[in-house]
């Protein structure tokens, strides 16, 4: 064992001992975060507007601070963007994470000194937790790569702005700098195809041990490596042993990844966003991600099927139930208050508190009252892949409410890397799995309101071509898994197999 690996194990044990305090007392940790956030921001514009100094408990907070999304918080954010201090958080933020907006163009998510520290520590702790759990630290001697956005920054009224992954690139610890790839110059390439080709050139002869990124874009990197060398990625990188990912469910990609790699590797799932780092996978033997209750974020939860009701109830961590779909609401040390991040989660454990990401509060199919969510279609896809030995590059689902003839249905757009051994079984497994998971969908099929789903095959690289056509190829961009309208479906018809 190298000195570096030995030191990593010691550091991992120390951090594990430190983190055990909040892991074993998550409710206490949340109460402390709640009080500290309010105290820190009570003299800000937002704090004064919402009488933070008079808030003594969660009920007071609910009464003073409504749930807002970005559009509703935007008047305060615009003051910060225009250079005003002490608006959402004391002083000015260090950065704005610039992301794509839904209705008003770019979104500027503030990142402060304490919030970036918590982001960096969470990324570090996810890897250290893996070392502490498995005893494996050899990978720290090899090369590590994160497929991410450009680290180049713009500036707006004295505040730097860029993509979150690019901002994070500025905070790679010194002890990992020599191990880190790609080079700064390559990371700054904006065109994704050009960038991936450059990364292939830089990494193909290196001792790669850790590879990280959104699965769909890592897959492109793996495919280019395999095409160039006619080797499995695991044969090219013999010491590759850890895949770190976030942003989407890995399961629909797992079979394809294992085929490209040629063997299984350990994986760590992360749940980061521009708004904060919420959870990471803390076990190689158990499902779910550990919710970070001591990282400058106070969590509230609203049942997803009640979220749009006027009297929807906001609860804290102590009142959550297992296996219920919740919209997650956050208040943070970056100055986001009662903020709807748009993601839905389910708790699969309360000792410790562990979650899975189940979808997006606005991304669902309920054109017929079925309330289908991302978690359900992803599980159905996993079941179909296992049943037929298929490999899927990408997929999305949309309702067809006005077919040319017959009953309406759900239409699945699927790009196969390897077609199923039995396409009829694949489709039937998809539909049966969805019926088993979702009683509303079952009733609609059984009652002949809907007919069985229809599958539309998308041509090779069709999803990539679509993302390229809308200027969202690569980086942190990802395909919407399901939608309640036909906008994405209609766009994909240009790439379907005739």
């Amino acid at each position: 064992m190298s000195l570096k690996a030995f030191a990593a194990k010691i550091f991992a044990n120390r951090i594990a001992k430190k983190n055990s305090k909040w892991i074993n007392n998550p409710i206490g940790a949340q109460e402390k975060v709640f009080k500290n956030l309010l105290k820190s921001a009570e003299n800000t514009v937002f704090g004064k507007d919402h009488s933070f100094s008079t808030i003594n408990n969660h009920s007071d907070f609910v009464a003073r601070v409504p749930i807002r999304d970005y559009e509703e918080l935007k008047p305060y954010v615009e003051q910060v963007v225009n250079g005003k201090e002490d608006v959402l958080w004391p002083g000015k933020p260090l950065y704005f994470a610039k992301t794509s907006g839904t209705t008003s163009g770019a979104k500027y998510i503030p990142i402060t000194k304490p919030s970036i520290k918590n982001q960096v520590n969470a990324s570090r702790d996810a890897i250290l937790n893996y070392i502490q759990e498995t005893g494996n630290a050899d990978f720290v001697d090899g090369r590590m790569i994160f497929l991410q956005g450009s680290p180049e920054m713009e500036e707006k009224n004295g505040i730097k702005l860029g993509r979150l992954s690019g901002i994070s690139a500025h905070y790679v610890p010194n002890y990992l700098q020599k191990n880190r790839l790609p080079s700064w110059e390559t990371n700054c390439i904006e065109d994704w195809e050009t960038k991936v080709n450059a990364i292939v050139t830089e990494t193909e002869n290196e001792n790669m041990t850790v590879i990280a990124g959104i699965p769909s874009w890592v897959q492109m990197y793996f495919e280019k490596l395999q095409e160039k060398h006619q080797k499995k990625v695991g044969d090219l990188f013999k010491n590759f042993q850890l895949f770190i990912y976030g942003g989407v469910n890995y399961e629909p990609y797992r079979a394809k990844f294992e085929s490209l790699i040629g063997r299984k590797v350990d994986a760590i799932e992360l749940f980061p966003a521009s708004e904060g780092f919420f959870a990471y996978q803390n076990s190689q033997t158990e499902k779910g991600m550990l919710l970070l209750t001591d990282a400058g974020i106070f969590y509230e939860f609203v049942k997803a099927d009640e979220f749009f009701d006027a009297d929807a109830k906001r609860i804290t961590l102590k009142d959550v139930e297992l296996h219920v779909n919740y919209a997650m609401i956050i208040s943070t040390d970056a100055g986001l208050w009662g903020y709807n991040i748009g993601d839905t989660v389910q708790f699969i454990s309360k000792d410790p508190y562990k979650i899975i990401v189940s979808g997006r509060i606005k991304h669902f199919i309920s054109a017929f009252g079925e309330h289908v969510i991302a978690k359900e279609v992803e599980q159905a896809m996993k079941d179909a892949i296992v049943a037929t030995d298929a490999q899927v590059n990408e997929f999305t689902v949309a309702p067809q409410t006005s077919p040319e003839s017959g009953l309406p249905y759900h239409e699945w757009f699927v790009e196969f890397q390897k077609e199923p051994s039995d396409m009829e079984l694949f489709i039937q497994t998809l539909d049966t799995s969805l019926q088993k998971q979702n009683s509303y969908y079952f009733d609609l099929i059984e009652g002949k309101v809907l007919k069985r789903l229809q599958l539309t095959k998308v041509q090779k690289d069709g999803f990539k071509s679509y993302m390229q056509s809308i200027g969202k190829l690569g980086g942190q961009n990802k395909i919407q898994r399901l939608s309640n309208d036909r906008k994405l479906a209609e766009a994909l018809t240009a790439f379907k197999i005739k």
Side-chain angles (χ1 to χ4, degrees), residues 304-344:
D305 57 5
E306 300 174 0
F307 183 78
F308 295 103
D309 297 347
D311 58 350
K313 187 177 181 181
R314 293 159 66 175
I315 62 173
T316 59
L317 193 62
K318 65 183 176 62
D319 294 319
V320 297
E321 302 169 47
L322 297 180
H323 311 299
V324 172
N325 207 35
Y326 289 109
M328 192 164 81
I329 311 301
I330 60 169
S331 297
T332 77
D333 53 8
L336 301 176
W337 302 101
Y339 188 85
N340 171 26
I341 63 170
D343 287 306
T344 58

Side-chain angles (χ1 to χ4, degrees), residues 185-430:
E185 293 73 23
T186 295
N187 232 0
C188 290
I189 297 172
E190 285 291 344
D191 180 75
W192 188 249
E193 293 246 37
T194 304
K195 183 172 188 169
V196 174
N197 286 330
I199 292 172
V200 167
T201 301
E202 284 192 356
T203 59
E204 59 191 348
N205 296 314
E206 297 288 344
N207 177 31
M208 301 304 302
T209 57
V210 178
I211 296 172
I214 290 177
S216 50
W217 306 123
V218 175
Q219 179 178 308
M220 185 192 298
Y221 165 62
F222 284 171
E223 287 171 342
K224 287 182 178 291
L225 282 168
Q226 190 175 73
E227 183 180 351
K228 184 173 182 179
H229 292 275
Q230 298 300 302
K231 282 184 177 181
K232 298 287 188 183
V233 173
D235 292 331
L236 186 64
F237 301 141
K238 296 186 183 300
N239 295 316
F240 171 39
Q241 53 193 287
L242 185 59
F243 173 49
I244 303 173
Y245 69 96
V248 298
N249 187 345
Y250 180 42
E251 290 308 319
Y253 301 94
R254 186 181 293 276
K256 177 66 187 299
F257 264 61
E258 290 178 356
S259 174
L260 286 166
I261 298 167
R263 54 183 167 85
K264 292 185 177 182
V265 298
D266 286 346
I268 303 174
E269 182 178 9
L270 310 179
F271 186 11
S274 300
E275 296 87 351
F277 200 122
F278 310 122
Y280 59 72
Q281 182 181 342
N282 69 325
S283 173
Q284 290 297 303
T285 58
E286 298 175 359
K287 290 184 177 180
M289 293 179 285
L290 179 71
L291 187 69
L292 307 183
T293 58
D294 188 38
I297 301 169
F298 176 68
Y299 301 97
E300 298 174 274
F301 304 92
V302 179
K303 288 183 178 179
D305 57 5
E306 300 174 0
F307 183 78
F308 295 103
D309 297 347
D311 58 350
K313 187 177 181 181
R314 293 159 66 175
I315 62 173
T316 59
L317 193 62
K318 65 183 176 62
D319 294 319
V320 297
E321 302 169 47
L322 297 180
H323 311 299
V324 172
N325 207 35
Y326 289 109
M328 192 164 81
I329 311 301
I330 60 169
S331 297
T332 77
D333 53 8
L336 301 176
W337 302 101
Y339 188 85
N340 171 26
I341 63 170
D343 287 306
T344 58
V345 300
Q346 291 182 11
F347 284 86
I348 62 168
S349 167
K350 293 203 284 185
D351 186 20
Y353 283 93
K354 295 176 70 169
I355 59 172
I356 58 171
V357 179
S358 52
R360 299 280 293 172
I361 194 66
K362 292 183 179 178
H363 294 176
F364 56 88
I365 300 178
S366 200
F368 314 97
E370 61 272 48
H371 306 294
V372 170
I373 61 174
K375 173 181 175 290
E376 293 165 347
V377 299
E378 286 172 342
Q379 182 61 50
M381 179 59 77
K382 179 183 177 183
D383 293 344
I385 287 170
V386 170
T388 62
D389 194 33
Q391 291 179 12
V392 170
N393 286 340
E394 194 57 90
F395 75 98
T396 191
V397 190
Q400 175 52 272
T401 58
S402 305
E404 292 183 4
S405 62
L407 295 172
Y409 54 87
H410 286 183
E411 185 173 12
W412 291 56
F413 291 80
V414 183
E415 180 186 324
F416 290 103
Q417 175 67 27
K418 176 185 175 186
E419 292 213 1
S421 56
D422 183 333
M423 184 63 79
E424 171 59 27
L425 177 61
F426 184 88
I427 295 170
Q428 185 58 51
T429 304
L430 281 178

